[in-house]
Amino acid sequence: MNPIFKLILLAAAYLLTYVLGSCTGLIHPACYAYVGAVLPLLTAFIYLLTCTTIRGFGAATLLNGFVFVMLLIAGEADTTLAIGFVILTALAEIIRYLCKYDTLKGIRWSFIPFAFSFFAYTAHWWFDTEGSLAAAVEEMRAGYDQLMIPVIDNIPVLIIVLVLTLPVAILAMRLAERSLKKQTEGLK
């Protein structure tokens, strides 16, 4: 398969994980707020394939950059998302550079900060609570904003979910490695 076409498909698949994660909010606000802890089970495969296609700088930048541009076009991007994406993407790219681009170790370690990317998308709930509640009144069903308040106020659960994202990311990458052995053969 043409590498450019493959990267376009991977970026689109990564964007689809954001759409999927966002749609969980239709079930309950807690699903939207915390789904980022389980999304690495999907995004690890996309990230691993992107890293094996781009054997240098750019895998995390391509994926988060594409999602950011699409969210910007859709009017869903904000300053919190931009800052979160820049920090998490830079960490992933730096770690991958330090561990060497052609190593599985570099992909594994760089996926850890990258796995938290969906939380940059949902962070506006905690950094712009007033604006998020106002948007919920306009965009969601009646009473949704009232369901959001206990989720936003429950900081201990948010911390637990963020901590749990780490082992999920590690497990997800191991599963991706085992499933995609052929793609990782050339890595050290």
Side-chain angles (χ1 to χ4, degrees):
M1 177 185 295
N2 180 328
I4 301 288
F5 183 68
K6 181 179 179 181
L7 291 172
I8 291 169
L9 287 177
L10 289 167
Y14 185 61
L15 175 64
L16 189 60
T17 65
Y18 275 75
V19 172
L20 181 65
S22 296
C23 286
T24 64
L26 297 172
I27 301 166
H28 191 276
C31 297
Y32 171 79
Y34 306 135
V35 73
V38 295
L39 282 180
L41 293 169
L42 299 174
T43 60
F45 292 87
I46 297 165
Y47 186 73
L48 180 62
L49 286 170
T50 304
C51 288
T52 58
T53 304
I54 300 174
R55 298 277 176 119
F57 173 84
T61 302
L62 169 76
L63 295 174
N64 275 345
F66 180 75
V67 168
F68 182 73
V69 168
M70 292 297 115
L71 291 174
L72 200 60
I73 291 168
E76 291 290 316
D78 61 7
T79 305
T80 308
L81 173 69
I83 293 168
F85 266 12
V86 166
I87 292 169
L88 295 169
T89 302
L91 284 171
E93 294 289 0
I94 290 167
I95 291 168
R96 195 156 169 241
Y97 169 78
L98 293 174
C99 293
K100 306 295 182 229
Y101 291 116
D102 59 347
T103 66
L104 201 48
K105 177 183 172 184
I107 296 171
R108 283 181 193 145
W109 284 106
S110 67
F111 181 66
I112 291 172
F114 186 82
F116 287 88
S117 294
F118 191 80
F119 289 108
Y121 179 55
T122 60
H124 62 92
W125 278 20
W126 291 273
F127 290 100
D128 182 20
T129 301
E130 216 174 278
S132 297
L133 292 172
V137 169
E138 291 178 25
E139 299 171 5
M140 303 301 284
R141 65 185 180 272
Y144 193 85
D145 59 324
Q146 295 306 306
L147 292 172
M148 287 171 58
I149 293 170
V151 175
I152 293 169
D153 290 342
N154 199 344
I155 300 300
V157 171
L158 175 63
I159 292 168
I160 290 168
V161 169
L162 287 170
V163 170
L164 285 175
T165 304
L166 180 63
V168 170
I170 293 167
L171 171 68
M173 186 50 70
R174 293 298 182 165
L175 291 172
E177 289 171 26
R178 287 185 182 164
S179 299
L180 302 170
K181 282 187 181 195
K182 182 180 175 189
Q183 288 80 356
T184 60
E185 284 176 353
L187 300 171
K188 298 175 190 172

